[in-house]
Amino acid sequence: MEGSSAEAALSVSANSIRITDLTQDGDVLTFAITSQKLNGSAGVCVFRTYEDFEWLQQSLFSQENVPGLQGIIFPPLPPKALPTQLNMQTKAFKQLGFLALGQGWQSYCKALEFYLQQVATHPTLCKCKALESFLINTESPGKQRGRKGIFNRLSQAVEEMRKESHKDVDNFFQNERNRNTSIAALSKVATEKLLDVVMTEQKLALACGHFSTSLHLCVNQDDADAVAFSKVCLKLSDIIEAVKRNYEKVASNNLTTLGLGLDLESRYQEAEKEMLFRRTCKLVELETVKKSTEKAKANKREVMEAFQKAVEKEFNLISSVAKQEIEHFHSSRVNVLKNFLIDWCEQQLNTAKECAELYSQHLEACRNMYSE
């Protein structure tokens, strides 16, 4: 949600937020976050750990006096990653997916960077004082453990799972819940399938590297035939090395463009699911209060009716905010995924052109070799 209203609530430009460096101390990752002041050319640089990000997310959840807060689709914070997971690939892939791939945690830093930008451009969340503190205060806020928020993740709300299937009184939200269930499942499958493709490309690149190296073992200078054969092996080694580099580039392009886009789409669908679930819980609460009011005795009816009106007012406010969030969610997610797709196509096209040109050079070299 871009706009001047969002930037007006912050002293830094939302679009200038970047994670420029990452340092590791044991299992602790520290991120260098830079941003640009709105009122001048001065830049800001702070250092944050993942616990600081968790503190920020919890602060966003725990805001008081924010009308309809439960109707907001909160930007999803990527799961915590540990450096030791690099040696536990199966576990890392299961938890982080695309964010576990790449060199130097580049993809993971990009996901955290995008998270901060999404929070900073949200017209309501950007007003949270915790965000301003997170971006400009040199002291780490992570030590200030926030109070437990009003929200629990779906996985932590086992006792309320039965409410997920509760029929909605509003067709708009019932249809949205159905759509979300379908799209969330499809997004997850698409992400997993592309992850399989990237991992296969990386394995092929590794195999090509081994093959290219092994061809050098065939080099022999004993006689004319051996020399001629050695030239063929060396040229073939160069060609296989070119194939290897192509696989590496294609895999990297998949990872840094479409892969990150699908991962973000999948996590945002889960974020919308959680918002819809919170609203459903409030709906169940309202219906329970209505039933209690109907059964209340005359001396308690007035109090119950007042309580019912308060719950109904809160529910209507959450629903109003939720509708606005959903409308923006659809247009915003389409645009974001479209940009990732465009970048993916452009990078893969450039890689294909470079590869085709290199293969042409190798083909010409082979022709000249045999014409000698």
Side-chain angles (χ1 to χ4, degrees):
M1 295 182 178
E2 299 81 2
S4 58
S5 59
E7 290 200 339
L10 284 172
S11 63
V12 302
S13 169
N15 293 328
S16 71
I17 299 173
R18 296 287 184 273
I19 294 181
T20 57
D21 195 16
L22 170 66
T23 57
Q24 177 183 338
D25 182 10
D27 274 348
V28 179
L29 297 174
T30 302
F31 306 90
I33 304 171
T34 62
S35 55
Q36 199 74 20
K37 286 281 189 178
L38 285 173
N39 56 358
S41 59
V44 181
C45 181
V46 296
F47 298 92
R48 299 289 183 254
T49 64
Y50 187 82
E51 285 68 28
D52 297 327
F53 281 90
E54 289 184 317
W55 171 84
L56 173 61
Q57 186 79 332
Q58 192 61 51
S59 298
L60 297 175
F61 287 167
S62 305
Q63 293 181 85
E64 298 178 352
N65 303 320
V66 177
L69 184 67
Q70 296 184 55
I72 289 177
I73 301 175
F74 289 86
L77 177 65
K80 184 175 182 178
L82 297 175
T84 52
Q85 287 180 323
L86 287 177
N87 300 320
M88 304 168 59
Q89 288 197 350
T90 301
K91 183 177 180 180
F93 291 153
K94 184 176 180 180
Q95 180 180 357
L96 298 173
F98 281 104
L99 306 186
L101 299 177
Q103 298 181 344
W105 295 92
Q106 180 183 4
S107 300
Y108 191 70
C109 290
K110 198 67 180 176
L112 288 175
E113 177 182 294
F114 201 81
Y115 162 77
L116 289 175
Q117 292 172 352
Q118 290 294 294
V119 174
T121 53
H122 192 284
T124 300
L125 300 180
C126 70
K127 300 174 184 176
C128 180
K129 293 181 179 179
L131 176 61
E132 179 83 4
S133 174
F134 181 93
L135 293 172
I136 68 172
N137 287 350
T138 55
E139 183 180 352
S140 171
K143 298 178 182 179
Q144 310 169 22
R145 296 302 174 192
R147 292 174 291 105
K148 194 168 183 178
I150 58 175
F151 307 133
N152 288 320
R153 297 186 64 83
L154 293 177
S155 59
Q156 299 172 331
V158 178
E159 74 282 0
E160 304 219 14
M161 284 295 102
R162 59 183 179 80
K163 298 178 182 178
E164 277 195 273
S165 58
H166 187 83
K167 185 172 177 59
D168 208 292
V169 295
D170 189 325
N171 287 334
F172 173 85
F173 286 102
Q174 185 62 54
N175 293 335
E176 185 63 21
R177 283 165 58 183
N178 295 338
R179 186 211 64 81
N180 172 262
T181 300
S182 175
I183 298 298
L186 293 173
S187 297
K188 183 177 181 180
V189 171
T191 303
E192 291 174 348
K193 294 299 183 183
L194 185 59
L195 180 59
D196 289 340
V197 170
V198 172
M199 292 177 66
T200 300
E201 290 166 342
Q202 291 179 336
K203 290 176 181 177
L204 288 171
L206 183 62
C208 287
H210 291 322
F211 185 27
S212 176
T213 301
S214 65
L215 286 169
H216 285 260
L217 300 176
C218 302
V219 175
N220 194 312
Q221 305 292 329
D222 291 345
D223 52 51
D225 289 339
V227 171
F229 180 70
S230 297
K231 288 183 179 180
V232 173
C233 289
L234 291 176
K235 174 49 64 178
L236 181 57
S237 176
D238 291 340
I239 295 172
I240 297 301
E241 185 67 23
V243 174
K244 169 181 173 284
R245 289 198 297 271
N246 181 62
Y247 274 127
E248 289 175 338
K249 285 187 177 181
V250 169
S252 177
N253 294 343
N254 283 332
L255 170 63
T256 58
T257 55
L258 184 57
L260 286 180
L262 287 175
D263 175 79
L264 181 65
E265 171 69 14
S266 181
R267 288 188 288 111
Y268 250 111
Q269 291 295 338
E270 288 299 317
E272 185 196 22
K273 183 179 182 180
E274 292 187 15
M275 182 278 288
L276 292 169
F277 177 68
R278 293 193 297 268
R279 181 188 167 279
T280 300
C281 290
K282 183 59 66 174
L283 171 61
V284 173
E285 179 186 347
L286 176 59
E287 292 176 349
T288 301
V289 170
K290 285 183 177 179
K291 291 178 182 178
S292 299
T293 302
E294 293 173 357
K295 296 177 181 179
K297 295 181 180 180
N299 60 335
K300 294 183 178 180
R301 184 175 295 276
E302 185 176 348
V303 175
M304 289 300 299
E305 287 178 346
F307 180 61
Q308 177 183 322
K309 288 181 180 179
V311 174
E312 190 168 8
K313 181 180 179 181
E314 184 180 6
F315 172 73
N316 290 336
L317 185 55
I318 291 173
S319 298
S320 176
V321 172
K323 282 189 176 181
Q324 295 177 12
E325 287 281 302
I326 289 170
E327 289 173 359
H328 173 76
F329 173 77
H330 289 314
S331 61
S332 176
R333 297 281 64 75
V334 167
N335 287 332
V336 169
L337 190 56
K338 180 187 70 174
N339 290 334
F340 277 116
L341 281 168
I342 291 173
D343 289 343
W344 176 62
C345 291
E346 290 178 345
Q347 288 192 31
Q348 297 294 37
L349 182 59
N350 290 334
T351 297
K353 289 179 178 178
E354 291 173 4
C355 185
E357 183 178 348
L358 186 58
Y359 287 165
S360 296
Q361 293 173 5
H362 282 303
L363 179 60
E364 186 63 26
C366 288
R367 286 171 177 168
N368 293 335
M369 185 172 65
Y370 282 108
S371 64
E372 293 177 355

